[in-house]
């Protein structure tokens, strides 16, 4: 398995790592399983997860094989975060995506049981506007049967017609590892 280490939590622009490595950015609504994604893909418990939304409160930088960063972002759409904290996060994420000089790929994680929400649509538009290559990952498919998996794909493509299954749209379960091999191959192809 690949070596992953937790580099540091980032709360302000000045804390961004100086090392100019490529970045895989994990984004999506709170509680969709962004931190669990890291643990599952790298067979580790390095990322803190919680059944209570709002667990990740900083931009958490992980370094993989000394080759690239994975950046685990705080989820959006979490009502209990104060306005001030949310504004700070937004500024920080904007700084990460806009100014920080290195190649980035975004993994937009969505709960496969639900339609994309307004905030997912905004995120999709934002990523596209920044011309960041991105992939959508429908997580928690362990909760779906075959028919529901197909429905989840169909529904997601209705919102984001540019998506094609197994090209830039993947089914995944951090719980039972469904789709893990495909996503691991994708990460290897992109960064390793
Ligand atoms: N059934 C199931 N549960 C999952 C899966 N992935 C994550 N979870 C659960 O969903 C909850 C949220 O997971 P996290 O990984 O903390 O989610 P997050 O997106 O990092 O959340 P924030 O840090 O709040 O943005 C936890 O209770 C996880 O155990 C999955 O594939 N299947
Ligand atoms: Mg998290």
């Amino acid at each position: 398995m690949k070596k992953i280490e937790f580099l540091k939590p980032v709360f302000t622009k000045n804390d961004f790592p100086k090392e100019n490595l490529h970045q895989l950015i994990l984004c999506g609504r709170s509680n969709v399983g962004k931190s669990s994604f890291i643990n599952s893909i790298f067979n580790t418990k390095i990322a803190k997860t919680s059944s209570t939304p709002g667990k990740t409160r900083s931009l958490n930088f992980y370094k993989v094989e000394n080759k690239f960063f994975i950046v685990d972002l705080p989820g959006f759409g979490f009502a209990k975060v104060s306005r001030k904290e949310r504004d700070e996060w937004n500024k920080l994420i904007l700084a990460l995506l806009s100014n920080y000089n290195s190649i980035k790929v975004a993994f937009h994680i969505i709960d496969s049981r639900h339609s994309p929400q307004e905030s997912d649509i905004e995120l999709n538009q934002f990523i596209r506007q920044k011309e960041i290559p991105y992939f959508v990952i429908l997580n928690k498919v362990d909760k779906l049967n075959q028919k529901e998996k197909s429905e989840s794909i169909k529904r997601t493509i209705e919102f984001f017609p540019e998506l094609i299954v197994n090209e830039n749209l993947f089914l995944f379960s951090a719980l039972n590892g469904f789709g893990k091999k495909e996503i691991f191959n994708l990460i290897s192809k992109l960064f390793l």
Side-chain angles (χ1 to χ4, degrees):
M1 226 348 110
K2 301 294 170 196
K3 180 178 151 217
I4 181 164
E5 59 190 303
F6 181 46
L7 206 63
K8 60 174 174 175
V10 167
F11 294 94
T12 76
K13 273 207 300 211
N14 302 331
D15 294 338
F16 283 140
K18 302 289 172 274
E19 213 178 344
N20 195 10
L21 294 178
H22 297 179
Q23 299 164 25
L24 169 54
I25 295 161
L26 297 180
C27 43
R29 293 174 61 76
S30 194
N31 217 40
V32 293
K34 297 177 294 299
S35 303
S36 302
F37 174 89
I38 293 176
N39 290 339
S40 170
I41 292 291
F42 295 97
N43 289 328
T44 172
K45 296 228 161 37
I46 201 166
K48 294 203 178 66
T49 66
S50 168
S51 54
T52 313
K55 180 65 183 173
T56 307
R57 312 292 282 238
S58 49
L59 276 54
N60 289 340
F61 278 73
Y62 297 84
K63 192 151 86 166
V64 181
E65 296 279 300
N66 288 317
K67 282 202 178 129
F68 70 100
F69 291 133
I70 293 193
V71 194
D72 186 13
L73 299 188
F76 47 77
F78 173 51
K80 279 199 194 129
V81 175
S82 72
R83 179 76 184 263
K84 185 164 173 287
E85 193 171 3
R86 203 163 48 211
D87 288 349
E88 290 299 322
W89 287 353
N90 286 343
K91 263 197 272 174
L92 202 55
I93 292 168
L94 200 67
L96 175 83
L97 295 178
S98 306
N99 307 326
Y100 194 47
N101 181 29
S102 65
I103 292 183
K104 303 161 193 60
V105 174
F107 279 12
H108 177 179
I109 301 183
I110 297 176
D111 188 330
S112 59
R113 296 169 296 176
H114 308 300
S115 280
Q117 311 280 300
E118 189 58 40
S119 49
D120 289 302
I121 296 165
E122 281 171 18
L123 174 65
N124 176 272
Q125 285 168 350
F126 179 79
I127 295 171
R128 293 174 58 165
Q129 184 203 327
K130 295 272 167 213
E131 299 186 334
I132 296 169
Y134 65 96
F135 297 82
V136 172
I137 294 176
L138 295 170
N139 190 29
K140 308 199 184 186
V141 296
D142 54 279
K143 304 253 192 196
L144 306 184
N145 62 31
Q146 200 52 44
K147 181 159 171 275
E148 289 165 331
K149 281 182 193 143
S150 305
E151 284 164 0
S152 175
I153 289 171
K154 188 160 168 265
R155 192 167 60 221
T156 309
I157 292 177
E158 272 165 23
F159 280 86
F160 308 126
E162 72 277 13
L163 296 179
I164 299 166
V165 190
N166 291 330
E167 278 190 26
N168 51 5
L169 174 64
F170 292 87
L171 294 179
F172 181 65
S173 165
L175 192 81
N176 69 12
F178 185 98
K180 191 166 149 173
K181 202 166 127 237
E182 288 74 8
I183 292 173
F184 193 82
N185 287 344
L186 172 68
I187 293 176
S188 301
K189 209 166 77 187
L190 291 167
F191 294 100
L192 293 171

